[in-house]
Amino acid sequence: MPEPSVLVVFLDGVGLGEADAHNPLSETYLPAFEQMVDGQPWTADAAPVRGEMHLFRPIDATLGKDGLPQSGTGQATLFTGTNCAKIVGHHFGPFPHSETKPVLETENVFRKVKALRADDDGTESAAFANAYPPRFFSHAEEQDRWTVTTLCCRMANVRLRTEDDLRAGRALPADLTGTAWREHLGCDVPVISEAEAGQRLAAVSREHAFTLFEYYLTDKVGHGRLADRSAGDVLRSLDRFFEGLLDTLDTERQLLIVTSDHGNVEDLSVKTHTLAPVPLVAYGRGADRFHSVHDLTGVTPAARKTLAHSG
Ligand SMILES: [Zn+2]
């Protein structure tokens, strides 16, 4: 049997909220989203799903701390399995808090995967599929300010993919299509459809034991910071991406995990994050290993267990 792989699609700022007029997840036709939840819209009313190859449940993102959850501590928790809001004493973000850096250094998911599956000659066991423009590297280095995921990559020696990777089809643009690279960054990269981006991610994931892709326009549009696209537009675009991904995914071999760090876009009546639980989808081989995950701390340990038991 071929080696299994875990693919995490991390969506920033997607909670499970009430199905009402303020919730674009219930107000928009999103067939691929619904396919991942047994035909139900992604809301607080969705019934949990539990099968050997398919799981869906709401998980807690508040981490036992008052106040609105933030990305710095939420993502650090998600990608280490350690409650980083507890370490800091409160929610913090969007960038990683200095007190969580030792935990990120030793516990981050990329490092854990590499400890299980050493990189062989020419292969990388862990991958971060997002492509970053030259401007990102110069800015981050100048300010010495990295996001949780890019910091984890640097700490684990996981390559940050570049414009060259994007051109070669080895990485995905953050907006899925590459339009923003052309319009806002002035980079002459090819534009692809969202479905092609989904197919590309499935292909990248087959090359690695663990792959992460991060999508943050859901959070941005929830904060009201996207000038030219509505939340419905963003979710429909993401739905086409999931359709391409689900069509191409080999669920006998690949396990897709979809989750988030905190709520936001599911309630457009406020521009802030929310206290809503976030979705946890596990789709494919090993999905049932995620049935005991109840909050953000459980995702990385379950991913690790999946790879440890099936290697
Ligand atoms: Zn946010």
Side-chain angles (χ1 to χ4, degrees):
M1 194 179 277
E3 293 258 297
S5 64
V6 174
L7 167 60
V8 175
V9 174
F10 164 68
L11 306 175
D12 200 322
V14 176
L16 297 169
E18 299 305 317
D20 61 23
H22 300 295
N23 188 348
L25 287 152
S26 62
E27 295 293 290
T28 315
Y29 177 59
L30 302 168
F33 273 83
E34 293 189 10
Q35 187 185 335
M36 291 184 271
V37 189
D38 259 5
Q40 309 172 86
W42 287 30
T43 70
D45 300 327
V49 178
R50 185 178 173 185
E52 205 184 317
M53 302 277 282
H54 187 190
L55 180 127
F56 166 79
R57 60 183 305 148
I59 61 172
D60 173 66
T62 64
L63 298 168
K65 290 287 163 197
D66 292 338
L68 296 176
Q70 301 297 335
S71 288
T73 39
Q75 292 173 17
T77 302
L78 198 55
F79 298 124
T80 62
T82 300
N83 185 335
C84 288
K86 202 171 156 193
I87 292 175
V88 176
H90 54 88
H91 298 290
F92 180 87
F95 289 94
H97 191 281
S98 56
E99 283 177 55
T100 62
K101 286 184 183 170
V103 174
L104 287 166
E105 175 84 51
T106 56
E107 304 299 316
N108 89 64
V109 63
F110 296 113
R111 182 158 274 205
K112 294 284 178 191
V113 170
K114 284 181 136 190
L116 285 171
R117 307 268 182 91
D119 289 352
D120 296 326
D121 286 346
T123 72
E124 301 153 292
S125 57
F128 186 37
N130 291 64
Y132 286 90
R135 185 191 289 184
F136 170 83
F137 291 97
S138 52
H139 192 74
E141 264 155 34
E142 224 168 77
Q143 316 259 318
D144 194 24
R145 204 175 203 205
W146 301 86
T147 60
V148 170
T149 46
T150 52
L151 182 65
C152 288
C153 285
R154 284 165 62 87
M155 287 169 161
N157 273 326
V158 165
R159 204 161 65 80
L160 290 176
R161 294 177 187 228
T162 63
E163 185 173 348
D164 284 344
D165 293 300
L166 188 56
R167 281 178 203 287
R170 294 186 301 255
L172 279 76
D175 71 344
L176 306 173
T177 63
T179 309
W181 281 66
R182 292 179 75 91
E183 290 179 1
H184 304 307
L185 299 167
C187 297
D188 184 25
V189 298
V191 167
I192 59 174
S193 70
E194 289 95 344
E196 284 174 90
Q199 291 156 8
R200 180 182 293 185
L201 185 59
V204 170
S205 156
R206 277 194 286 276
E207 308 286 314
H208 309 280
F210 177 86
T211 303
L212 172 66
F213 176 66
E214 172 173 86
Y215 184 82
Y216 62 82
L217 295 186
T218 33
D219 189 60
K220 226 173 161 179
V221 81
H223 286 305
R225 289 190 204 128
L226 275 190
D228 49 353
R229 295 167 83 186
S230 69
D233 293 339
V234 166
L235 292 172
R236 275 187 291 270
S237 163
L238 196 50
D239 193 72
R240 292 191 287 274
F241 159 78
F242 278 127
E243 187 185 355
L245 176 60
L246 294 172
D247 280 351
T248 322
L249 201 71
D250 174 4
T251 52
E252 291 299 320
R253 220 206 106 188
Q254 292 175 289
L255 174 64
L256 168 66
I257 303 297
V258 186
T259 192
S260 182
D261 51 352
H262 53 71
N264 182 349
V265 75
E266 81 288 351
D267 184 359
L268 296 176
S269 70
V270 290
K271 285 188 175 169
T272 60
H273 297 171
T274 71
L275 297 169
V278 296
L280 173 65
V281 170
Y283 201 84
R285 180 175 166 191
D288 196 47
R289 284 217 170 78
F290 286 74
H291 82 265
S292 54
V293 179
H294 297 286
D295 62 30
L296 300 184
T297 63
V299 176
T300 283
R304 210 182 129 262
K305 234 180 270 171
T306 304
L307 292 170
H309 288 153
S310 47

